[in-house]
Amino acid sequence: MALLDIPSRRAGDDLLVVPPERGSTSGLVMRVLFLGLNYAPEEIGIAAYSTGMCEEFARRGHDVTAIVGKPYYPEWSVHPEFRGGGVRRSVENGVTLARVPHYVPAKPTGFKRIVHHFSFALCSLVPTIHAALRERPDIVMTVGPSIIAAPVARIAARISGAKSWLHIQDFEVDAAFATGLVASEGLPARFAHGFERWVLGGFDRVSSISYEMCKKAVQLGVAEDRVLQFRNWAEVETVTPLEKPSSFRDRWRIDTPHVALYAGNIALKQGIDILVETARLLFYRKDLTFVVCGNGPNQKVLRECAAGLSNILFFDLQPKEQLSELMGLATIHLLPQKASAADLVLPSKLTNMLASGRPVVATAHSGTGLAREVEGSGVVVPPGDAKAIAAAIEYLIDSNESHAKYSVAARESALASWNKSKILENVEREMLALVAQEAY
């Protein structure tokens, strides 16, 4: 089962196909206990994938219980209807949920983020242990972030005799160093690295969303035969190439023929401030509008930086039901990323960019995971180079042939490598195999 030996675990290769009948692949039913900070009704980032996985497993007949945080992201403010009170319990789309309270800083500095994650770990401990003893799960799965809460899942698995699975969406320790949230040297940094290694080493399975991130887990000491790739997916059935102008053109009064779109969270690791500089360089292009659609802690600062630029517009995140219309607004999708984070995270927003059948301009060094995922579906330029981004945008606008070629390739990539049903089918099989080991 070595990571480097299984073709189906490498990015871009075919995964297993879901059979047409409803139910698990083998007819076996698992009891799954899931622990994760982010969950619906949050609509972007990790929440979309955690929710989609839990609900799909429940649809397939598995017994799924989820201990999650109260929704707050990306606004960094708990949604009004979830404020106050203790644990909120419900059953949603077949998943038994317990939403625990936790600290949410209005301005998430490095230290406050640590307190934020620690508060979730602390508040989730009793509900998770109680669920483990009551449900006797076959497998306990948790997601990083938050790695600080991962030991809670390990404890739950240990006391219930379950297998344990850690899925890494972000290598948050290195990402915090890379974005300057936490100092990368000194005793706290050494403690953080040691804690990360200890956490990863205690799980029966460790998965991550790209081949490069899986290799990172191996470098941190996880045995290859315990590491596998569990990719995020595109909503290929709901996000499709538009055959007519997006309704957002009229709604937002955009009259230029071309739109360069960034849609997603506005935070440090994106390096999104470079898009303002790019818009300034292309201000003379009267056929192009930049649109930044998203929320996050740096939105206000970004708006201030763009003051006086009439060719860049800012909007809040839009409802999930309008995602296809939003993605279809783009002539070109923009995917900035700081160089230091290129192999520590794989932006989840890329999946639906590709599904929309529009080319992507991404910032990444050659050979990184992000560059490899975008290759053939757009243009990759060096991080931090606004002139290179501007040149790539103009190339795609002015070359109809290249734009059409990349558009077709983007959609084909989404269908081949980012199909939700195929990905979750593969993960379900791995889970069933892991649980079955206990019987021998």
Side-chain angles (χ1 to χ4, degrees):
M1 291 182 62
L3 162 69
L4 303 182
D5 295 337
I6 296 185
S8 65
R9 290 176 184 162
R10 299 184 66 122
D13 289 343
D14 290 337
L15 298 175
L16 299 174
V17 180
V18 173
E21 67 273 12
R22 176 181 172 132
S24 69
T25 306
S26 64
L28 299 176
V29 174
M30 294 182 293
R31 294 184 300 274
V32 180
L33 176 58
F34 174 81
L35 173 67
L37 175 58
N38 302 101
Y39 199 86
E42 293 177 9
E43 293 187 344
I44 67 169
I46 294 170
Y49 299 103
S50 294
T51 306
M53 180 194 68
C54 288
E55 292 183 352
E56 177 62 15
F57 286 169
R59 188 191 69 81
R60 289 172 178 263
H62 302 296
D63 185 356
V64 184
T65 298
I67 313 298
V68 300
K70 294 189 176 181
Y72 70 94
Y73 186 82
E75 298 86 357
W76 288 89
S77 176
V78 175
H79 295 190
E81 62 270 30
F82 291 93
R83 292 173 186 167
V87 178
R88 299 275 191 96
R89 301 184 184 277
S90 61
V91 177
E92 299 178 16
N93 297 319
V95 180
T96 300
L97 286 172
R99 300 181 186 273
V100 304
H102 52 94
Y103 166 67
V104 178
K107 295 182 178 180
T109 61
F111 176 74
K112 289 181 178 179
R113 285 175 186 258
I114 293 172
V115 176
H116 163 66
H117 288 298
F118 183 79
S119 74
F120 174 69
L122 187 63
C123 292
S124 66
L125 177 61
V126 172
T128 304
I129 298 303
H130 181 262
L133 293 174
R134 183 186 68 244
E135 303 294 337
R136 293 292 175 179
D138 298 302
I139 190 165
V140 178
M141 185 177 194
T142 190
V143 172
S146 167
I147 197 170
I148 291 176
V152 174
R154 282 180 57 180
I155 294 170
R158 178 68 61 87
I159 66 173
S160 62
K163 295 294 186 178
S164 60
W165 186 310
L166 171 63
H167 180 52
I168 301 169
Q169 289 277 3
D170 288 353
F171 279 100
E172 53 198 293
V173 173
D174 282 346
F177 296 152
T179 55
L181 281 172
V182 179
S184 59
E185 298 180 353
L187 182 61
R190 291 196 296 273
F191 174 81
H193 277 303
F195 177 77
E196 181 181 45
R197 285 179 174 271
W198 173 76
V199 169
L200 268 64
F203 282 82
D204 295 308
R205 287 290 181 274
V206 175
S207 60
S208 196
I209 59 177
S210 74
Y211 186 61
E212 286 72 21
M213 292 173 71
C214 287
K215 289 197 295 184
K216 173 73 173 177
V218 174
Q219 292 166 6
L220 289 171
V222 185
E224 285 190 8
D225 63 356
R226 292 194 289 118
V227 178
L228 58 88
Q229 185 176 184
F230 175 7
R231 294 163 70 83
N232 288 334
W233 57 81
E235 298 289 349
V236 294
E237 295 179 355
T238 57
V239 178
T240 58
L242 294 186
E243 297 180 357
K244 60 181 180 178
S246 167
S247 61
F248 282 100
R249 282 190 164 275
D250 290 336
R251 193 179 316 177
W252 290 342
R253 299 180 181 178
I254 297 172
D255 56 8
T256 58
H258 301 295
V259 173
L261 173 67
Y262 173 85
N265 184 35
I266 303 175
L268 288 173
K269 64 187 177 186
Q270 276 76 30
I272 193 175
D273 51 306
I274 199 170
L275 299 185
V276 175
E277 185 179 351
T278 305
R280 188 170 282 111
L281 289 172
L282 294 179
F283 186 78
Y284 71 94
R285 295 281 313 220
K286 302 308 178 184
D287 59 347
L288 173 65
T289 300
F290 287 78
V291 173
V292 176
C293 181
N295 299 89
N298 293 331
Q299 186 195 61
K300 181 179 178 182
V301 174
L302 202 65
R303 285 177 177 267
E304 291 172 351
C305 290
L309 288 177
S310 58
N311 65 334
I312 184 168
L313 305 175
F314 294 87
F315 301 97
D316 288 339
L317 286 172
Q318 300 302 302
K320 184 178 180 180
E321 295 76 20
Q322 299 177 25
L323 183 59
S324 188
E325 286 287 326
L326 177 62
M327 293 291 99
L329 173 66
T331 305
I332 300 162
H333 288 292
L334 303 176
L335 187 56
Q337 189 84 343
K338 286 190 174 181
S340 51
D343 277 340
L344 304 175
V345 297
L346 182 63
S348 58
K349 60 182 71 69
L350 172 62
T351 61
N352 290 321
M353 291 179 179
L354 297 174
S356 72
R358 301 289 193 273
V360 179
V361 173
T363 64
H365 287 306
S366 177
T368 60
L370 178 56
R372 188 162 60 86
E373 297 291 356
V374 174
E375 184 179 0
S377 301
V379 180
V380 180
V381 301
D385 191 338
K387 290 182 179 179
I389 299 174
I393 292 172
E394 289 199 285
Y395 163 68
L396 290 171
I397 287 176
D398 295 336
S399 174
N400 291 334
E401 181 179 353
S402 296
H403 187 279
K405 179 186 70 174
Y406 287 129
S407 295
V408 171
R411 179 64 182 177
E412 289 178 348
S413 175
L415 292 172
S417 301
W418 304 87
N419 186 288
K420 178 180 180 180
S421 295
K422 293 180 181 180
I423 291 168
L424 289 178
E425 171 78 6
N426 197 43
V427 172
E428 181 192 40
R429 288 180 185 270
E430 293 283 356
M431 285 185 167
L432 288 166
L434 177 61
V435 170
Q437 289 179 9
E438 191 69 21
Y440 296 96

